[in-house]
């Protein structure tokens, strides 16, 4: 016999009787036991009792083999799972089961596939297999939605860059990245700032953003140190100056400068020597020093031609002289001079008549 869906079955004496007879007739047939359940699976000895019309009784044994051929009821449910930091997740059959049952009990539940990785992100069809205690099998299918909610590990490193001749510099995300990683792979790297100029000389905090292939985002910060190591372009011009009445003259760097420049700006100009006197008449080599805003220095030479165009101050005095016995007289310029002067000195004195 086979158990029904609820795991029970009754038999009648007639099923066991195989032609019992009596000359005076059979009054009744009975069989014990007559009720079977899951605990009766296999061979069971029953006793058939035969009573004739005159109350005579005979018994005989028989074997009732009880079978359970009803498959279990497999009931599935869809689930959602998240990958771990290694990009993997395993599921149990019990997670997919939604109340599978069998009248005689479930021996085993399995699910396949039960291991998922980054390649399974999204919906995956799995099969739940239910085996009851008597080897009957049923299956159902469920959807396992695999999610990757683990952000990438963002790793930054510091960087030092130099501005170019134009006062500009730029970086890439790869220069800041220090081995950022994600179990499922990185889709993109981006920076909060790529381009730098003179205004950024010094440390600059920027953000590296890591986006993995499943849209998870993580960030880290890094210091980008911007340096300006380009010396300014020093340009000079030769000049000619005239000493003043006191025999002196001072020049400024701006007089020597001929358009010196630097991408990040000029901080200061200086020139040496910058003071001249009578001893410097003629050509003099000077050095123009150009310092930019970031302390880079360039120098260049120029010629300063010093001229003395200030005439001496001639001061005369009247004198009285006497002719000699011959009626003759000679005088010197010094007798007529009354303190003539020149800042750079008197070379000679002459008079129109001696």
């Amino acid at each position: 016999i086979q158990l029904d869906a609820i795991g029970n079955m009754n038999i009648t004496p007639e099923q066991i009787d195989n032609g019992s007879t009596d000359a005076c007739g059979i009054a009744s047939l009975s069989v014990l036991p007559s009720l079977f359940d899951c605990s009766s699976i296999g061979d069971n000895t029953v006793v058939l009792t035969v009573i004739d019309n005159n109350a005579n009784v005979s018994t005989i044994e028989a074997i009732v083999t009880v079978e359970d051929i009803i498959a279990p009821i497999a009931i599935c449910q869809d689930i959602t799972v998240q990958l771990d930091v290694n990009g993997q997740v395993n599921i149990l059959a019990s997670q997919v089961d939604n109340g599978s049952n069998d009248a005689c009990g479930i021996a085993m539940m399995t699910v396949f596939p039960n291991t998922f990785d980054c390649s399974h992100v999204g919906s995956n069809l799995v099969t739940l297999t239910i085996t009851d205690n008597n080897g009957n099998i049923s299956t159902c299918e469920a959807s396992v939605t695999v999610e990757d909610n683990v952000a990438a590990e963002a790793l930054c490193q510091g960087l030092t860059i130099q501005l170019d001749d134009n006062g500009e510099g730029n970086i890439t995300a790869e220069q800041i990245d220090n081995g950022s990683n994600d179990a499922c792979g990185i889709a993109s790297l981006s920076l909060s700032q790529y381009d730098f100029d003179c205004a950024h000389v010094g440390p600059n905090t920027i953000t590296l953003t890591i986006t993995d292939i499943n849209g998870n985002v993580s960030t880290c910060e890094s210091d980008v140190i911007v340096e300006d190591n380009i010396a300014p372009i020093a340009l000079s011009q030769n000049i000619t100056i005239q000493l003043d009445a006191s025999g002196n003259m001072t020049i400024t760097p701006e007089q020597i400068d001929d358009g010196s420049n630097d991408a990040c700006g000029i901080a200061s100009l200086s020139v040496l020597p910058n003071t001249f006197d009578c001893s410097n008449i003629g050509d003099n080599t000077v050095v123009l020093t150009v310092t930019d805003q970031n302390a880079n220095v360039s120098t260049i030479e120029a010629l300063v031609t010093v001229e003395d165009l200030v005439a001496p101050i001639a001061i005369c005095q009247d004198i009285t002289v006497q002719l000699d016995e011959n009626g003759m007289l000679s005088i010197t310029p010094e007798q007529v001079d009354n303190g003539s002067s020149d800042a750079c000195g008197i070379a000679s004195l002459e008079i129109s008549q001696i």
Side-chain angles (χ1 to χ4, degrees), residues 130-249:
I130 308 295
T131 304
D132 70 14
N133 287 323
N134 297 304
N136 301 298
I137 295 174
S138 292
T139 63
C140 60
E141 290 183 332
S143 176
V144 175
T145 301
V146 177
E147 295 179 343
D148 170 23
N149 294 324
V150 178
E153 182 183 17
L155 300 174
C156 286
Q157 62 184 344
L159 182 66
T160 298
I161 65 170
Q162 282 76 43
L163 297 178
D164 60 19
D165 291 344
N166 297 315
E168 297 174 344
N170 54 71
I171 62 174
T172 64
E174 287 71 21
Q175 289 175 281
I176 299 299
D177 181 47
N178 193 28
S180 300
N181 59 87
D182 185 87
C184 292
I186 293 176
S188 66
L189 305 174
S190 64
L191 293 176
S192 59
Q193 182 176 351
Y194 292 92
D195 300 317
F196 301 86
D197 57 29
C198 299
H200 301 108
V201 170
N204 301 266
T205 299
I206 64 170
T207 300
L208 173 67
T209 299
I210 308 294
T211 304
D212 70 17
I213 62 173
N214 294 308
N216 300 300
V217 176
S218 57
T219 62
C220 59
E221 290 186 340
S222 173
D223 278 338
V224 174
I225 298 174
V226 177
E227 295 180 347
D228 169 24
N229 294 323
I230 304 295
I233 299 173
L235 301 173
S236 66
Q237 60 185 344
N238 299 328
I239 64 172
T240 298
I241 61 172
Q242 286 78 43
L243 298 177
D244 60 18
S246 64
N248 295 303
M249 183 55 66

Side-chain angles (χ1 to χ4, degrees), residues 92-108:
L92 301 174
S94 57
Q95 291 174 269
V96 177
D97 179 51
N98 194 28
S100 301
N101 59 85
D102 186 87
C104 292
I106 293 176
M108 180 175 61

Side-chain angles (χ1 to χ4, degrees), residues 292-326:
D292 70 14
Q293 298 286 357
N294 297 305
N296 300 299
V297 176
S298 292
T299 61
I300 192 170
E301 292 183 344
L303 285 179
V304 175
T305 301
V306 177
E307 295 177 344
D308 173 19
L309 300 180
V310 178
I313 299 173
I315 304 175
C316 292
Q317 63 182 344
D318 297 334
I319 62 172
T320 300
V321 295
Q322 281 77 40
L323 296 174
D324 62 16
E325 60 188 15
N326 296 314

Side-chain angles (χ1 to χ4, degrees), residues 16-22:
I16 298 300
D17 181 49
N18 194 25
S20 301
T21 63
D22 185 90

Side-chain angles (χ1 to χ4, degrees), residues 236-316:
S236 66
Q237 60 185 344
N238 299 328
I239 64 172
T240 298
I241 61 172
Q242 286 78 43
L243 298 177
D244 60 18
S246 64
N248 295 303
M249 183 55 66
T250 299
I251 63 171
T252 64
E254 288 72 21
Q255 289 175 276
I256 299 300
D257 182 50
D258 192 29
S260 299
N261 60 85
D262 185 88
C264 291
I266 302 294
S268 66
L269 300 172
S270 64
V271 63
L272 285 175
N274 66 341
T275 302
F276 303 90
D277 58 23
C278 298
S279 65
N280 302 117
I281 298 295
D283 290 339
N284 300 266
T285 299
V286 296
V287 177
L288 175 69
T289 300
V290 182
T291 304
D292 70 14
Q293 298 286 357
N294 297 305
N296 300 299
V297 176
S298 292
T299 61
I300 192 170
E301 292 183 344
L303 285 179
V304 175
T305 301
V306 177
E307 295 177 344
D308 173 19
L309 300 180
V310 178
I313 299 173
I315 304 175
C316 292

